[in-house]
């Protein structure tokens, strides 16, 4: 739009910086003092018997710091979506066993009676005593048995959900709103649901929003804005790939749909609010909003609004941007100021992504302080109508006193919460208004919303939870946030380190990039693009012979990106001999020196990330996020192994009898042969070599023949960091070169990642050697399975399956190959899964919007296409995606199996197999696990369930090296999720784990008879 730049503000500035600014701002102490009496009266209303009859009493009885409270959340989150009795019985019994529910529910001999009593008892914390069907449940247990109890448990959760959801349909919600509350409350209706995963999802949500707007508009009377009813929409519900890297597509497809809804809302002159999303989608949200409000068809309408989260550090900047947007278009907007509901998610994402700091405040008091500062900003913005959403009595009282004129703003509360607070306020402050944010939708869709609201308001720092605790002093609850923070140095939570310090003191977290930050993304792409012009030749460190260069072709488009001179037999021998000669001096180098070199290498990896990302994309076919993740993993491995070496390689004294001294130390073994794969040509290559070097070994590194350029760059960085050139030998070549190196007599150990067949070949060669018995560290592949039962959330299943099966074009050892769905949910899951797969963009990975890049070479493509053709001929292909014809692209495919045991080999590409199992037969799940185990592999496994007993049982029985529960199965974090398997999947120890370096080391004990010189002087000199 002319004259108005896209929104930008620092993504994650330091808490202290913002606190200093807020605390130094002008402050009206008299206003605060005047607000205190009202705050006390409002708190008294909240704490009254009537007030605590609602959610506050529930949170007091079932605190989230107790196992009972967590069990209640799990039950509420999952019970209503379970379609089958067998799983429902297990779920109820599992949650009942999680805590001492005899303190909350009446004793009973029947487990399900107790479970139903527990669930219904929770409901009575919300509803009046005469509403509870507890007596009916007990009677049903005696007369009808388990089926009635299951129905009672479901009804209990519906009662609980009904407290938070105004109606299952918009007509029901409208009827209830007008019947219960007359005209006292203003309403904004929110159609419940998760974000869209498929085009069908997005269409369904669009029509639900449109129907709601028409129904609400028809029901509303002759009131004028801002008093009119409203509808809230969620952008992520209107597009299946609402993500920053798909920006162009989102603007092209989503903005017109949002405009259509806005025009409909304008037709009825309603309040139309765009809900807030996570921090990484803020810029994209404002881009979409900016495109919509610029349309002339909305001119003159003042009902368009959006929500802003005060816990985000960019909240004030958003308010300024919205005011500028309104001025640019001669409009007036509404702005709903909330404190924020995804704090834990934002914290975790910032840690995982290696950001410099968090995009949200880490102390609740800082959010409260920023909320008031943002409120002042809103009140000073002439083109914004402020809507203050809060349940905090102190915040409400402060705002009432600051504003003075009730018509200038409105308060908002969630349906089912804060009613007594605002009843008291409206009784006392004539002219004040409050809008109820009212969720609408089937009870099965309320689950995520319900649990989020309970967790948000049940947190220890939440005003709602603390108000319910009668032991909490009034003075603490009403203390101004300025006084709680006190000083800028106290702005940050003392127990929540910045993301960079997450793994301190052992190591620093690797530096990441927030791809939802427009400026950071542009800088990263500029780094990459500046390093893309190259056509170089990689050659062995110790070159001998006359092997001609071989062209290296990109899997993206078959273009020549460089060349490699591969080692011959003579070169292999010379390299090994050179490394052997360098070993003694390198092994004698102090461990601190070796560790510092490897840490410098990590720093160089981050400093040269642009070049490394360019190489990983051109040579390895990786998408931007995959390439960035690999650069970070390489740096993490270097720092982790450096820290581990410091712990392991020092000398220590062991206990023994007097007169003897026992010294123990670990030392390098000699020359380690490092053979790495093409699918992680930087992280695994560098991890292997760094582990060997920091342990005091010399290293001969043979990369995969498909990716020698990335490996050569890594070797150059290690040499630049200080690794001796003779002690680190680069030997590119094919499998024959690898076999030649394995056969060299100087080999003191082999670390290998690749196929099971190649690992067996190396194992046989080492075993047949007449030389020393040397260790083999092998990590191979697996037929990795994920088991899903009907307690799992469908959208979470699909998200995790899509990532696990199709990210990196399925070319990860850990990738999901076999999805085992409970029969009762298989049809619905597959429909959503196929819909989500259709939304994946397959193509050039150098484009930021690409989700699936090429497979590594033409041979891999032909092998996968041949397999898919066979499965298609059998009629087993459920879904076949589309892929570009040029290049080595293979689209995602989904293949149906009759049983899990039908998949006996690893299909290394974007091919997902699906089998089902029956929950009604207790032995069927056992048979399923036996079939998975029978394939001989043991690398990764996934499980989606809310039944803790099932998690514990699988953790005890699985032979997989890594079990992932209720998350995706890829991206093992260095130091936190050591990676590796057993059986046909590898030897261990796990890469990125505390035992990995031990395999690179030999142990040495020196025992000295200290009494041999005539006696034990230390013993004789010992004082009493």
């Amino acid at each position: 739009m002319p004259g108005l730049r896209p929104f930008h503000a620092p993504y994650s500035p330091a808490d202290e910086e913002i606190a200093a600014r807020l605390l130094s701002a002008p402050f009206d102490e008299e206003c605060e003092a005047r607000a205190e009496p009202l705050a006390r009266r409002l708190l008294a209303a909240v704490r009254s018997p009537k007030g605590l009859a609602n959610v506050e009493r529930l949170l007091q009885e079932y605190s989230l710091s107790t196992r009972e409270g967590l069990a209640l959340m799990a039950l509420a989150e999952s019970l209503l979506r379970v379609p089958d009795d067998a799983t429902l019985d297990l779920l109820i019994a599992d949650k009942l066993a999680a805590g001492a529910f005899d303190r909350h529910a009446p004793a009973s001999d029947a487990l399900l009676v107790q479970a139903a009593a527990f669930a219904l008892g929770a409901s009575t914390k919300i509803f009046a005593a005469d509403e509870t069907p507890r007596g009916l449940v007990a009677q049903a247990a005696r007369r009808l048995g388990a089926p009635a109890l299951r129905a009672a448990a479901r009804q209990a959760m519906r009662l609980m959900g009904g407290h938070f959801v105004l109606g299952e349909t918009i007509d029901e919600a409208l009827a209830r709103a007008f019947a219960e509350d007359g005209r006292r409350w203003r309403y904004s209706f929110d159609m419940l649901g998760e974000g869209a995963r498929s085009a069908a999802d997005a269409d369904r949500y669009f029509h639900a929003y449109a129907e709601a707007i028409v129904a609400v508009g028809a029901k509303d009377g002759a009131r004028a804005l801002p008093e009119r009813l409203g509808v809230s929409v969620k952008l992520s519900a209107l597009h299946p790939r609402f993500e920053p890297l798909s920006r162009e597509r989102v603007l092209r497809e989503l903005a017109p749909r949002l405009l259509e809804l806005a025009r409909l809302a304008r037709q009825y002159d309603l309040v139309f609010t765009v809900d807030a999303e996570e921090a990484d989608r803020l810029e994209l949200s404002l881009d979409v909003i900016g495109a919509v409000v610029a349309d002339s068809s909305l001119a003159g309408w003042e009902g368009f609004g959006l929500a802003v989260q005060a816990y985000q550090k960019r909240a004030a900047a958003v308010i300024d941007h919205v005011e500028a947007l309104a001025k640019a278009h001669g409009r007036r907007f509404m702005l709903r100021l909330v404190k924020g509901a995804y704090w834990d998610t934002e914290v975790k994402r910032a840690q995982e992504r290696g950001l410099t700091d968090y995009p949200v405040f880490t102390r609740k008091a800082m959010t409260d302080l920023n909320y008031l500062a943002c409120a002042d900003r809103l009140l000073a913005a002439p083109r914004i109508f402020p809507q203050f959403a809060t349940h905090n009595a102190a915040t409400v009282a402060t705002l009432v006193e600051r504003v003075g004129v009730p018509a200038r703003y409105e308060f908002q509360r969630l349906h089912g919460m804060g009613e007594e607070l605002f009843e008291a306020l409206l009784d006392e402050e004539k002219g004040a208004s409050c809008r109820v944010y009212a969720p609408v939708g089937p009870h099965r869709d309320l689950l995520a919303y319900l649990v989020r609201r309970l967790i948000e308001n049940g947190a220890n720092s939440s005003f709602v939870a603390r108000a319910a605790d009668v032991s909490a002093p009034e003075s603490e609850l009403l203390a101004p946030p300025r006084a709680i923070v006190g000083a800028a140095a106290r702005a940050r939570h003392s127990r929540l380190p910045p993301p960079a310090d997450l793994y301190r003191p052992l190591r620093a977290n690797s530096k990441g990039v927030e791809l939802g930050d427009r400026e950071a993304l542009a800088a990263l792409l500029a780094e990459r693009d500046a390093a893309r012009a190259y056509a170089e030749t990689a050659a062995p460190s110790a070159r001998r012979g006359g092997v001609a260069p071989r062209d290296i072709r990109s899997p993206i488009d078959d273009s020549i990106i460089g060349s490699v001179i591969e080692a011959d037999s003579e070169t292999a021998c010379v390299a090994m001999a050179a490394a052997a000669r360098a070993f003694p001096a390198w092994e004698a180098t102090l461990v601190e020196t070796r560790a510092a070199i490897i840490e410098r290498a990590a720093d160089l990896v981050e400093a040269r990330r642009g070049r490394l990302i360019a190489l990983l994309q051109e040579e390895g076919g990786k998408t931007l996020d995959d390439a960035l993740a690999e650069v970070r993993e390489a740096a993490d491995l270097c720092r982790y192994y450096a820290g581990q070496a410091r712990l392991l390689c020092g000398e220590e004294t062991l206990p023994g009898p007097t007169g003897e001294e026992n010294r123990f130390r670990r030392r390098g073994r000699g020359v380690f042969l490092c053979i790495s794969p093409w699918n992680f040509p930087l992280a695994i290559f560098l991890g292997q070599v760094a582990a060997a070097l920091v342990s005091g070994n010399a290293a001969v590194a043979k990369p995969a023949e498909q990716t020698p350029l990335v490996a050569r760059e890594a070797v150059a960085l290690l040499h630049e960091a200080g690794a001796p050139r003779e002690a680190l030998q680069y030997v590119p070549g094919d499998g024959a070169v690898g076999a030649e190196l394995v056969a060299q007599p100087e080999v003191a150990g082999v670390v290998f990642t690749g196929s099971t067949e190649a690992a067996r070949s190396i194992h046989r060669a080492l075993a047949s050697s007449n030389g020393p018995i040397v260790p083999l560290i092998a990590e191979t592949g697996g037929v990795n399975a994920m088991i899903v039962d009907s307690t799992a959330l469908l959208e979470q299943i699909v998200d995790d399956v899509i990532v696990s099966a199709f990210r990196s074009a399925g070319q990860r050892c850990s990738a999901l190959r076999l999805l085992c769905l409970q029969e009762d949910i298989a049809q619905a899951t597959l429909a959503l899964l196929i819909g989500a797969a259709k939304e994946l963009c397959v193509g050039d990975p150098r484009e930021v919007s690409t989700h699936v890049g090429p497979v590594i070479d033409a041979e891999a493509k032909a092998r996968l296409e041949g397999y898919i053709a066979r499965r298609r001929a059998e009629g087993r292909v459920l879904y076949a995606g589309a892929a570009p014809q040029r290049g080595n692209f293979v689209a995602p495919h989904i293949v149906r199996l009759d049983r899990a045991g039908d998949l006996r080999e690893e299909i290394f590409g974007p091919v997902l197999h699906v089998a089902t199992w029956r929950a009604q037969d207790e032995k069927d799940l056992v048979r399923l696990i036996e079939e998975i185990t029978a394939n001989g592999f043991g690398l990764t496994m996934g499980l989606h369930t809310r039944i803790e007993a099932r998690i514990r049982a699988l953790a005890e029985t699985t032979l997989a090296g890594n079990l992932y529960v209720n998350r995706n199965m890829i991206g093992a974090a260095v130091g936190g999720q050591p990676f590796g398997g057993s059986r046909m999947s590898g030897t261990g120890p796990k890469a990125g784990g505390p035992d990995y370096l031990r395999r690179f080391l030999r142990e040495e004990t020196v025992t000295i008879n200290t009494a041999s010189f005539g006696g034990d002087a230390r013993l004789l000199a010992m004082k009493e």
Side-chain angles (χ1 to χ4, degrees):
M1 65 200 67
L4 186 63
R5 296 177 59 190
F7 171 80
H8 177 72
Y11 190 87
S12 53
D15 299 56
E16 297 83 358
E17 173 188 324
I18 299 175
R21 185 171 67 249
L22 295 180
L23 292 172
S24 64
F27 172 58
D28 189 343
E29 292 187 24
E30 293 183 2
C31 176
E32 188 172 278
R34 292 195 303 270
E36 186 175 342
L38 175 58
R40 292 183 183 278
R41 293 192 296 274
L42 295 177
L43 177 59
V46 171
R47 284 182 152 179
S48 67
K50 179 183 177 183
L52 290 183
N54 295 308
V55 69
E56 294 85 356
R57 183 164 291 177
L58 171 72
L59 295 172
Q60 184 182 26
E61 183 73 17
Y62 295 102
S63 168
L64 295 184
S65 62
T66 66
R67 289 186 62 81
E68 293 94 334
L70 294 174
L72 173 59
M73 294 303 100
L75 193 65
E77 189 267 345
S78 55
L79 185 140
L80 291 182
R81 66 169 169 261
V82 178
D84 61 296
D85 293 342
T87 307
L88 183 60
D89 290 351
L90 288 174
L91 177 67
I92 294 174
D94 185 79
K95 299 313 162 194
L96 183 64
F101 288 108
D102 55 338
R103 295 185 294 132
H104 307 275
S108 170
D109 292 336
L111 189 62
L112 285 176
V113 173
Q114 291 186 29
F118 152 57
L120 297 170
S123 296
T124 62
K125 305 302 176 184
I126 295 178
F127 295 93
D130 59 343
E131 291 182 279
T132 177
R134 181 177 292 180
L136 295 176
V137 173
Q139 184 178 7
R142 290 192 299 270
R143 294 168 55 187
L144 302 177
L149 291 176
R150 296 187 198 104
R154 286 192 175 103
Q155 182 60 19
M157 290 297 104
R158 290 190 180 96
L159 290 172
M160 189 173 174
H163 182 74
F164 293 92
V165 177
L166 193 60
E168 293 201 74
T169 65
I170 188 63
D171 291 334
E172 182 183 324
L174 284 165
R176 185 175 172 187
F178 283 92
E180 291 186 359
D181 303 289
R183 309 294 284 181
R184 182 160 209 188
W185 308 104
R186 301 172 182 177
Y187 279 87
S188 183
F189 300 95
D190 172 36
M191 311 308 291
L192 278 178
E194 294 289 307
R197 267 64 178 181
S198 65
D201 275 352
D203 287 342
R204 187 175 75 254
Y205 286 127
F206 175 84
H207 291 301
Y209 287 141
E211 290 168 5
I213 291 170
V214 171
V216 171
K219 186 73 173 180
D220 210 354
R223 292 179 295 181
L225 288 170
E227 296 182 22
R228 291 184 67 75
L229 298 173
V231 173
S232 298
V233 302
K234 199 169 180 65
L235 296 182
S236 57
L238 290 170
H239 198 279
R241 301 301 307 193
F242 185 68
E243 58 194 8
L245 295 183
S246 297
R247 179 180 181 274
E248 299 305 321
R249 178 186 172 191
V250 167
L251 288 173
R252 185 173 63 253
E253 297 174 358
L254 173 57
R257 307 203 86 180
L258 183 65
L259 177 59
E260 188 175 346
L261 292 174
R263 285 171 174 165
L264 191 60
R266 186 197 193 287
Q267 179 180 329
Y268 291 99
D269 202 26
L270 297 179
V271 176
F272 181 77
T273 304
V274 178
D275 274 339
E277 304 278 351
E278 295 85 350
D280 63 345
R281 299 197 277 196
L282 175 62
E283 290 183 1
L284 179 60
S285 296
L286 292 174
D287 286 347
V288 172
I289 290 169
V292 169
V293 300
D295 193 275
S296 60
S297 65
L298 303 183
W301 174 47
E302 297 185 352
F304 192 98
L306 69 157
V308 173
Q309 301 161 317
Y311 72 3
Q312 279 206 39
K313 296 174 180 178
R314 296 178 290 174
V318 174
I319 293 171
D320 291 345
H321 179 78
V322 173
E323 172 68 10
L325 194 64
K327 184 177 180 180
H329 297 295
R331 303 271 295 285
R332 194 162 189 257
F333 296 136
M334 294 182 164
L335 194 147
R336 179 174 188 255
L337 185 63
V338 302
K339 293 191 177 177
Y342 304 98
W343 181 78
D344 52 334
T345 300
E346 299 288 7
V347 168
K348 181 180 181 182
R349 284 181 174 175
Q351 292 174 340
E352 289 176 333
R353 296 176 183 182
L355 305 187
T356 55
D357 212 328
Y358 298 102
V360 296
F361 296 108
T362 55
R363 288 192 70 190
K364 181 67 163 62
M366 275 298 297
T367 295
D368 291 340
L369 182 62
N370 194 48
Y371 189 95
L372 293 174
C374 287
D376 289 339
R377 220 177 193 96
L378 284 174
L379 294 167
R383 294 181 176 275
I384 296 178
F385 179 77
Q387 301 168 306
F388 299 120
T390 179
H391 299 125
N392 187 312
T395 302
V396 170
T398 300
L399 290 172
V400 168
E401 193 59 43
R402 286 189 184 184
V403 183
V405 182
R408 290 183 58 197
Y409 68 98
E410 71 179 21
F411 285 110
Q412 294 192 356
R413 68 175 179 87
L414 293 171
H415 171 65
M417 298 181 64
E419 186 170 354
E420 286 68 35
L421 187 157
F422 286 105
E423 286 276 11
L425 177 70
L426 297 184
D427 289 342
E428 186 163 332
E429 294 290 324
K430 302 307 177 186
S433 59
C434 180
R435 186 178 300 272
V436 178
Y437 187 85
V440 179
H443 285 139
R444 66 177 179 274
D445 290 338
L446 69 86
L447 305 171
Y449 172 85
L450 169 61
V451 171
R452 172 50 56 186
R453 297 289 79 77
L454 290 174
I455 290 176
E456 174 192 349
N457 291 284
N460 291 336
S461 59
S462 164
F463 176 86
V464 173
R466 294 170 65 214
D469 182 2
V470 293
S471 67
E474 186 180 81
S475 58
E476 286 186 11
L477 287 169
L478 301 179
R482 174 182 294 268
I484 298 173
V485 175
R490 297 177 54 207
R492 188 181 300 276
H493 199 297
S494 61
R495 298 175 61 186
L496 196 59
D501 296 335
L502 182 63
Y503 301 106
R504 297 287 189 186
L506 182 63
R507 65 176 175 92
N509 193 5
S510 57
K511 296 176 183 178
V513 176
E514 175 49 66
L515 301 179
D517 179 355
R518 194 187 337 260
E519 193 171 273
L521 175 60
L524 180 65
L525 293 176
E527 288 180 44
R528 180 201 67 179
D529 293 344
R532 283 176 66 175
Y534 54 83
E536 301 175 359
T537 300
S541 301
R543 182 179 175 186
R544 294 291 188 275
V547 179
R550 175 176 64 85
D551 288 339
I552 303 298
R553 295 183 176 273
S554 173
I556 302 171
D557 53 13
D558 204 38
S559 61
I560 298 173
I561 57 173
S563 61
V564 61
I565 298 174
E566 295 177 323
D568 57 12
S569 178
E570 182 184 0
T571 300
C573 294
V574 169
M576 192 64 70
R581 288 193 303 272
F583 165 68
W586 177 244
E587 198 266 345
T589 303
L590 293 176
V591 64
E592 179 57 43
T593 302
R594 300 196 305 260
I597 288 172
I598 299 304
E599 286 174 335
R600 280 199 296 273
D603 295 340
L604 288 171
V605 165
E606 292 179 331
R608 311 281 171 76
R609 68 183 181 188
R611 178 163 178 77
L612 292 170
I613 288 172
L615 275 170
L616 287 165
Q617 294 197 294
E618 300 276 0
E619 188 177 44
K622 290 182 175 284
T623 58
L624 180 65
D625 51 352
D626 271 351
L628 175 61
E630 182 160 357
V631 168
R632 292 191 59 215
E633 184 179 358
D636 281 334
L637 286 167
C638 286
R639 293 190 177 115
Y640 180 76
Y641 292 146
Q644 289 294 307
R646 290 188 179 100
L647 295 176
L648 293 174
C649 295
E651 185 172 279
E652 57 185 298
T653 301
L654 302 181
T658 60
E660 283 189 355
E661 181 177 87
N662 299 311
R663 299 175 187 170
F664 177 82
R665 64 174 177 171
R666 301 179 183 90
R667 304 177 63 178
R669 289 178 173 273
V671 180
F672 241 88
L673 174 58
C674 306
I675 304 177
S676 56
W678 50 260
N679 61 334
F680 284 90
L682 177 67
I684 293 180
F685 178 89
L686 196 53
Q688 290 179 350
V689 174
L693 290 174
V694 81
S695 303
N697 299 285
V700 172
K702 193 209 84 66
E705 59 187 291
Q706 295 91 340
T707 52
L709 300 180
V710 173
R712 193 205 65 159
E713 193 74 16
V715 169
L717 292 180
L718 283 165
H719 285 153
E720 184 179 344
R725 294 186 177 276
E726 292 293 299
L728 170 56
Q729 297 286 323
Y730 169 69
V731 186
D734 59 12
V737 172
E740 184 77 29
L741 290 167
V742 170
Q744 298 302 309
E746 296 93 344
V747 171
V750 179
V751 55
F752 168 82
T753 299
S755 70
T756 302
E757 179 184 356
R760 283 174 169 158
S761 177
I762 295 170
H763 174 65
R764 286 192 295 266
L766 293 175
S768 63
S769 171
N770 292 323
I773 300 173
V774 302
L776 168 63
I777 307 169
E779 190 268 292
T780 59
V783 178
N784 307 311
M786 178 188 288
I787 298 174
V788 178
D789 72 19
S790 61
T791 66
L793 181 63
L794 204 60
E795 290 80 5
Q796 185 182 7
I797 298 166
V798 169
D799 289 348
D800 291 341
V801 169
I802 289 289
V803 169
S804 301
F806 301 135
R807 185 168 175 177
S808 309
Q811 298 173 119
R812 292 180 181 233
C813 300
S814 57
L816 173 62
R817 310 296 179 199
L818 174 62
L819 177 62
C820 304
L821 294 170
Q822 184 178 322
E823 198 173 61
D824 305 87
I825 61 167
Q827 184 175 353
T829 304
L830 282 171
L832 188 57
L833 179 61
I834 290 171
K838 289 179 180 178
E839 300 304 321
L840 294 173
C841 176
V842 182
D844 189 334
R846 295 166 296 196
E847 299 294 330
V848 297
S849 58
T850 296
H851 302 114
V852 181
V855 296
I856 191 60
D857 56 24
E859 182 183 346
K861 178 181 180 180
R863 184 166 54 249
L864 287 164
E865 288 180 339
Y867 176 81
I868 292 168
R870 292 194 298 274
R871 289 303 193 180
R872 183 180 289 111
E874 297 168 354
R876 295 192 173 277
V877 175
L878 297 176
Y879 169 72
Q885 292 301 306
R886 186 186 179 197
N888 298 320
F889 294 95
V890 176
H893 282 70
I894 300 176
V895 174
R896 175 182 56 84
L897 301 179
D898 292 333
R899 49 185 293 178
D902 292 343
L903 184 62
R904 307 291 297 180
E905 62 176 319
E906 180 182 36
I907 306 302
F908 208 74
V911 180
L912 175 67
H913 303 81
V914 180
T916 60
W917 59 280
R918 298 179 67 253
Q920 289 74 17
D921 182 351
E922 294 181 5
K923 296 181 179 179
D924 203 39
L925 181 57
V926 175
R927 284 194 292 266
L928 173 67
I929 296 171
E930 289 174 349
E931 285 188 26
I932 294 170
T933 303
N935 64 38
F937 294 95
L939 190 53
T940 65
M941 192 170 194
L943 174 64
H944 268 269
T945 183
R946 300 298 190 266
I947 300 174
E948 290 186 43
R950 184 162 278 168
I951 296 170
R952 291 192 298 270
L954 186 58
E956 287 296 319
T957 59
T958 183
L959 297 178
N962 290 67
L963 174 63
Y964 297 100
V965 180
N966 295 328
R967 54 151 286 172
N968 67 60
M969 292 169 52
I970 63 172
V974 174
Q977 298 152 9
F979 184 76
S982 61
R983 308 170 79 213
M984 291 198 307
S985 294
T987 63
K990 288 172 168 288
D995 293 331
Y996 191 63
L997 288 195
R998 295 177 188 271
R999 200 64 167 269
F1000 289 84
L1001 296 161
R1002 65 181 180 88
E1003 299 170 324
E1004 179 181 276
T1005 303
V1006 177
T1007 299
I1008 302 172
N1009 179 6
T1010 57
S1012 63
F1013 304 105
D1016 187 347
R1018 284 180 297 181
L1019 179 64
L1020 294 172
M1022 187 169 58
K1023 296 180 180 180
E1024 293 189 5

